[in-house]
Amino acid sequence: MAFGKLKSKYFPKDFTWGVATSAYQTEGAWKADGKGLSIWDEFTNDRKFKNGNGNIATDFYAQYKEDIQLIKTLNLKAFRFSISWTRIFPEGVGQPNQAGVDFYHKVIDYCHKKDIEPWITLYHWDLPMALEEKGGWTNREILDWFSYYVDFCTKEYGSKVKNWIVLNEPMSFVGLGYFMGYHAPGRKGLKDFLSAAHHTTLCQAHGGRIVRRNIPEAYIGTTFSCSVVSPKNFWPRHIKAARRMDALLNRFFIEPALGLGYPTDVIPGLNRIEKYFQAGDEELLKFDFDFIGIQYYFRIIAQFSLLPPILFANEIPASKRNVKTSPLGMEIYPKGLMKMLKQFNKYKNVKDIYVTELGVCFDEKLIGGKLEDDNRVKYYKKTFKICRRAIIKGIRLRGVFLWTLVDNFEWADGIKPRFGIVYNNFRTQKRTIKKSGYWIQEFLKK
Ligand code: BGC
């Protein structure tokens, strides 16, 4: 098979080509129609936060029809979006907010009208503030709160939606939000991290069970962030440091679901998490997902370090390594996708694999009303070739979702890093298809 000119017809017929977004990053309308506040609303509207907010974001709440039409125009077939928990339950639990419930019916119905397959993510980081005030993910009661929310959503939308994703990247929201304080809710320290991590892993499996119970024919998955981790050099202590970093970033949340427990084999200090266990938790952590999603963005070079304790490893920043970096300061390393696909494919009880986010960001401007993002086109060409090669090698890869449709609010980093295949003018909310968008359209043309 020559890869000179890659075509979508070289992929299996039923391969899913989609695009992914999340509620907080796109919807805006932060207080509209009875919506309650989430941890991200509070975090970004605090005076200490300097990178804007998602109060308007990309105005998806008002422009969902135009955006779904864009997906159609670009020949993509699937739309992964998330539900904002506080649009459904402003206080996290209790009485549902009918206007919020109706909004997602409208989004789903419009997808069907345009023959776009909806894929719902139940949790993409926007925890209700009312629940954070009670401890959020560090409080074991989150199991009840999350179950209540998932039960409602799956009963409400289950007859219309087959594909369900329980969580988006637990390591990101637990690590950045409860250990580093860089993301909402801005908490720091090992205690918060370990308790939040354990409750998240329990919810990951329990969410899966609720979807299965309420929608027997559902196709159920969950997503994981992943990073290629290489040692600084081949000194044994750096090699071991890289192994620990890999366990933390790539194994921590998937292995308990597969029945393998937390990766204490290489990070013995992680056994402190057992403090948060109750009888029967080992069983409760497991769920037999139909698929997993992996989301790969960058490579990490690890070295031995006394800090942080337990991990005894840190990262050599990409800025000090003379490599290509994105505006987020991460190394752009498309090649690493193959390594991650192989690594996750090795787990025997992982069934189907999707790349549920694939993208790259740049700091971009329209020039003469156009955006010639050849660098993004190159990135997609390279990574699509990797996907094709992975399938030939027998890796159980079933689809790819681009991150993302329209440039959006990139969390703590604001609107400067642009990930879209469609440019957004955040003042006028006018969309302009980038060269990469046209390239995708052509690539997917029948
Ligand atoms: C998240 C997205 C985010 C993207 C780019 C992923 O970690 O799921 O919400 O925008 O990475 O940083």
Side-chain angles (χ1 to χ4, degrees), residues 240-400:
K240 284 187 190 152
R243 235 175 254 152
R244 288 193 294 276
M245 186 76 97
D246 171 64
L248 180 74
L249 299 181
N250 301 322
R251 299 172 48 199
F252 193 106
F253 285 95
I254 185 171
E255 294 196 355
L258 299 175
L260 303 170
Y262 292 110
T264 47
D265 56 337
V266 294
I267 319 180
L270 257 192
N271 64 2
R272 292 199 205 171
I273 203 166
E274 284 161 19
K275 195 172 148 202
Y276 304 98
F277 271 57
Q278 290 185 6
D281 276 10
E282 272 93 357
E283 272 310 302
L284 290 179
L285 289 170
K286 294 187 216 166
F287 181 72
D288 189 18
F289 285 102
D290 299 317
F291 69 92
I292 58 152
I294 64 167
Q295 318 199 144
Y296 168 75
Y297 287 96
F298 50 85
R299 163 163 79 158
I300 279 181
I301 304 294
Q303 64 184 351
F304 173 81
S305 154
L306 286 171
L307 288 174
I310 293 191
L311 185 61
F312 300 117
N314 70 16
E315 178 193 354
I316 304 178
S319 58
K320 296 203 175 137
R321 294 197 273 114
N322 196 23
V323 290
K324 265 196 220 151
T325 56
S326 76
L328 293 174
M330 303 302 187
E331 180 178 356
I332 302 177
Y333 187 65
K335 259 205 248 165
L337 178 62
M338 179 62 99
K339 192 149 188 268
M340 294 329 296
L341 283 167
K342 282 186 184 160
Q343 183 165 333
F344 282 82
N345 193 66
K346 262 201 203 136
Y347 292 115
K348 273 203 278 353
N349 34 357
V350 159
K351 295 172 182 164
D352 297 345
I353 301 178
Y354 289 76
V355 180
T356 34
E357 285 184 22
L358 183 66
V360 61
C361 68
F362 301 103
D363 183 0
E364 299 169 315
K365 286 192 185 62
L366 281 189
I367 298 173
K370 283 191 177 164
L371 211 150
E372 309 260 330
D373 56 340
D374 294 292
N375 38 15
R376 184 172 287 102
V377 172
K378 228 158 103 195
Y379 188 85
Y380 279 134
K381 278 188 185 166
K382 278 190 190 158
T383 47
F384 288 5
K385 281 181 188 172
I386 290 170
C387 291
R388 172 69 186 136
R389 254 185 258 131
I391 295 167
I392 293 172
K393 280 180 194 292
I395 290 176
R396 306 182 285 281
L397 176 64
R398 308 286 182 240
V400 164

Side-chain angles (χ1 to χ4, degrees), residues 40-51:
W40 275 95
D41 292 313
E42 292 281 347
F43 190 74
T44 57
N45 284 285
D46 186 296
R47 269 190 301 140
K48 279 190 283 192
F49 186 80
K50 301 287 180 221
N51 276 340

Side-chain angles (χ1 to χ4, degrees), residues 157-169:
Y157 307 119
S159 62
K160 298 178 174 179
V161 179
K162 176 167 187 257
N163 311 293
W164 292 83
I165 289 171
V166 179
L167 299 178
N168 182 71
E169 296 192 359

